[in-house]
């Protein structure tokens, strides 16, 4: 079978490009592991679920029978006990680079048909992110480096996924944390990537420094404690050559901030998401050998982050309110607001547009995302339903 009627992909050519038999490509399509993107991105396909040798969210672009891959961002594992994790994972190198892990959402940016587009972690083209990156990343980089992909964290208060005020950003911005080659996903070494990003005047995540492997644990602990006081997320620890896989480590305050948001919408949040953040607190408290006072403070912070938002949610539902996430987005093209609403609706989310206000040459739209599952579950419990 040369062509696939559903996707119009040349199956044989795709198989040759990916070094997989055509039958495997057909199987991926049939099982929904290789899907076409929406709207005008009809020749962009995304891998999801179980695809061989592909990170989830990897993107396949069809240039009229010639192909390229934008690899999904590799999942970064987390250190639970910092010192042994450093020695186990980086023991063969003399030093590690430590950069800030910012709290937002991850995008990959390329140039496509003469404009920049932003892929989410799942491989979708987000219309809001795509419009915003035009403001932050100059096209010269992509035209002069067509085989490179920029990986960045979009953060700020006008953020539809993670609203954070901690960075002093008025709206939304992108901070580059990685640059990788198309097709292979090979990362540029830390110094080379930072020099290249600086050359093109891209915002970057903060580099705290390169630390000797034997003293890195104490240095990173100091950094984490200071970041926690500022409401920041944590750090990513990297092999400067980017050969070994990075490791992340987060602040207690960030864990609790995540829990606070998640327990507000407790029936939407995955149990693994909630449980892992509680476990992190136990390991960090153990490693830091906290005083009784510090440990009690951690317990209070953790307990309040779980119970306070849940208690508020129950009270609001009982009083007749519908629990919802409210946020603003800022765009230059008013049509992007409606495209983004439709984009969220396609994921089965209930989204209501509020006021759209003109501010200078931009539009600011209020958006409410109703969390139906938590609302329905809470109401059922208030009416006497048992927890199963």
């Amino acid at each position: 079978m040369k062509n696939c009627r559903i996707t119009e992909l040349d199956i044989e050519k795709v198989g040759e490009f990916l070094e997989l038999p055509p039958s495997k490509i057909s199987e991926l399509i049939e099982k929904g592991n290789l899907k076409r993107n929406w709207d005008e991105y009809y020749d962009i396909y995304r891998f999801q679920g179980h695809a061989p040798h592909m990170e989830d969210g990897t993107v396949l672009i069809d240039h009229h029978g010639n192909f390229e891959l934008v690899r999904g961002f590799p999942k970064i594992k987390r250190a639970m006990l910092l010192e042994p994790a450093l020695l186990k994972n980086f023991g063969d190198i003399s030093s590690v680079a430590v950069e800030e892990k910012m709290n937002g959402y991850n995008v990959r940016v390329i140039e496509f048909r003469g404009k920049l587009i932003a892929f989410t972690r799942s491989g979708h083209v987000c219309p809001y992110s795509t419009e915003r990156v035009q403001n932050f990343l100059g096209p010269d980089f992509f035209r002069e480096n067509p085989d490179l992909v920029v990986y960045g964290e979009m953060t700020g208060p006008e953020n539809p996924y993670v609203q954070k005020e901690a960075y002093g950003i008025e709206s939304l911005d992108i901070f580059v944390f990685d640059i990788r080659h198309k097709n292979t996903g090979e990362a540029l070494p830390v110094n080379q990537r930072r020099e290249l990003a600086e050359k093109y005047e891209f915002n970057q995540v903060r580099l705290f420094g390169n630390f000797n492997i034997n003293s890195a644990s104490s240095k990173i602990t100091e950094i984490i404690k200071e970041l926690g006081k500022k409401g920041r997320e944590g750090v990513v620890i990297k092999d400067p050559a980017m050969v070994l896989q990075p490791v992340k480590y987060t602040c207690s305050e960030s864990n609790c901030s995540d829990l606070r948001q998640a327990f507000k919408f407790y029936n939407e949040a995955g149990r693994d998401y909630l449980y892992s953040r509680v476990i992190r607190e136990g390991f960090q408290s153990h490693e830091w050998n906290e005083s009784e006072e510090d440990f009690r403070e951690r317990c209070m912070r953790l307990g309040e982050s779980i119970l306070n938002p849940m208690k508020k949610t129950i009270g609001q539902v009982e009083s007749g309110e519908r629990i919802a996430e409210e946020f603003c987005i800022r765009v230059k093209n008013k049509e992007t607001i409606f495209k983004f609403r439709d984009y969220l609706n396609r994921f089965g989310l209930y989204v209501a547009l509020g006021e759209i206000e003109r501010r200078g040459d931009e539009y600011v739209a209020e958006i409410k995302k109703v969390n139906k599952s938590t609302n329905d579950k809470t109401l059922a419990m208030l009416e006497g339903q048992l927890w199963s």
Side-chain angles (χ1 to χ4, degrees):
M1 178 176 66
K2 183 173 169 117
N3 292 301
C4 175
R5 180 176 57 82
I6 298 173
T7 66
E8 300 169 15
L9 273 176
D10 188 315
I11 299 300
E12 290 182 6
K13 284 188 176 180
V14 173
E16 184 180 347
F17 173 69
L18 296 176
E19 299 181 349
L20 292 170
S23 60
K24 185 62 181 176
I25 306 302
S26 297
E27 181 187 328
L28 290 171
I29 293 167
E30 288 295 320
K31 290 184 174 179
N33 300 131
L34 179 58
K35 288 189 173 182
R36 183 178 236 160
N37 256 297
W38 297 323
D39 301 328
E40 67 265 39
Y41 305 108
Y42 55 85
D43 43 11
I44 297 179
Y45 303 79
R46 65 187 185 278
F47 288 91
Q48 58 183 43
H50 302 288
H53 315 300
M54 297 289 170
E55 299 85 1
D56 204 21
T58 291
V59 170
L60 174 72
I61 303 175
D62 181 2
H63 298 289
H64 307 292
N66 294 312
F67 304 98
E68 62 182 6
L69 280 180
V70 177
R71 308 292 299 224
F73 190 69
K75 184 173 176 59
I76 299 179
K77 293 185 178 179
R78 187 179 302 276
M80 300 299 274
L81 291 178
L82 186 57
E83 186 169 10
L86 288 173
L87 295 176
K88 184 175 178 63
N89 291 276
F90 300 106
D92 293 335
I93 59 177
S94 61
S95 65
V96 290
V98 179
E99 292 183 317
E100 182 167 4
K101 184 181 189 309
M102 300 187 75
N103 204 342
Y105 66 99
N106 180 321
V107 294
R108 291 160 284 160
V109 184
I110 63 167
E111 186 180 49
F112 179 73
R113 294 184 187 154
K115 78 167 189 177
L116 306 188
I117 60 172
F119 297 109
T120 64
R121 183 177 276 278
S122 60
H124 292 90
V125 182
C126 172
Y128 177 54
S129 308
T130 289
E131 184 187 301
R132 295 299 285 167
V133 296
Q134 318 299 318
N135 304 329
F136 309 134
L137 303 177
D140 288 351
F141 170 89
F142 299 90
R143 290 166 191 166
E144 293 166 15
N145 303 277
D147 67 325
L148 295 180
V149 182
V150 170
Y151 294 69
E153 195 79 1
M154 297 198 80
T155 190
E158 292 179 343
N159 181 326
Y161 307 110
V162 183
Q163 298 88 44
K164 280 291 173 180
E165 305 276 357
Y167 302 104
I169 298 166
E170 180 185 355
S171 173
L172 185 74
D173 212 335
I174 185 170
F175 293 83
V176 174
F177 60 77
D178 208 353
I179 297 176
R180 292 177 177 250
H181 289 275
K182 290 178 181 173
N183 299 332
T184 66
E186 181 184 353
L188 299 188
V190 172
N191 285 345
Q192 183 184 350
R193 181 251 298 165
R194 294 193 70 88
E195 287 170 6
L196 192 58
E198 185 176 358
K199 174 184 174 182
Y200 290 94
E201 299 182 336
F202 294 169
N203 284 341
Q204 302 188 64
V205 295
R206 180 180 175 185
L207 173 67
F208 292 101
N210 281 28
F211 303 115
N212 183 283
I213 192 66
N214 294 315
S215 60
S217 176
S218 60
K219 297 282 188 184
I220 293 168
T221 298
E222 291 173 14
I223 292 167
I224 284 290
K225 288 180 177 180
E226 287 304 309
L227 288 176
K229 293 174 186 176
K230 298 173 183 176
R232 305 288 186 98
E233 184 172 6
V235 298
V236 180
I237 305 149
K238 300 179 177 180
D239 168 9
M242 289 299 288
V243 174
L244 303 176
Q245 289 301 305
V247 169
K248 57 189 175 185
Y249 189 65
T250 46
C251 309
S252 171
E253 290 82 356
S254 175
N255 296 331
C256 292
S257 175
D258 289 348
L259 290 169
R260 199 173 297 118
Q261 178 69 7
F263 273 101
K264 182 178 180 182
F265 309 107
Y266 65 89
N267 218 45
E268 266 85 10
R271 293 189 181 186
D272 285 348
Y273 179 91
L274 303 173
Y275 183 66
S276 66
R277 281 156 177 78
V278 176
I279 297 299
R280 291 176 206 167
E281 290 296 290
F283 275 94
Q284 190 175 81
S285 178
H286 170 78
E287 184 170 30
W288 287 6
N289 194 25
E290 291 176 324
S291 67
E292 187 175 334
E293 181 181 350
D294 288 341
F295 179 62
R296 186 175 297 278
E297 183 181 332
R298 184 187 292 269
C299 291
M300 291 293 293
R301 183 168 61 239
L302 177 60
E304 287 180 354
S305 70
I306 292 170
L307 290 178
N308 271 349
M310 276 197 71
K311 188 168 182 285
K312 271 186 193 173
T313 289
I314 295 164
Q316 286 176 282
V317 172
E318 187 176 43
S319 67
E321 290 184 50
R322 296 283 285 170
I323 303 302
E325 293 179 71
E326 297 181 12
F327 56 88
C328 291
I329 62 171
R330 183 185 302 252
V331 298
K332 291 186 181 295
N333 183 354
K334 192 175 183 179
E335 186 62 26
T336 302
I337 298 168
F338 304 103
K339 281 186 176 181
F340 184 62
R341 177 200 59 193
D342 295 343
Y343 170 82
L344 293 178
N345 284 336
R346 276 173 150 160
F347 292 109
L349 302 173
Y350 178 73
V351 176
L353 281 182
E355 183 181 354
I356 300 175
E357 180 185 346
R358 183 73 183 260
R359 295 185 192 172
D361 63 346
E362 295 180 311
Y363 296 91
V364 177
E366 296 176 353
I367 298 180
K368 181 180 288 189
K369 185 168 64 177
V370 176
N371 297 74
K372 189 174 184 300
S373 179
T374 296
N375 279 288
D376 292 351
K377 187 74 170 178
T378 307
L379 186 59
M381 294 294 170
L382 288 167
E383 290 174 349
Q385 186 181 87
L386 303 178
W387 186 279
S388 56

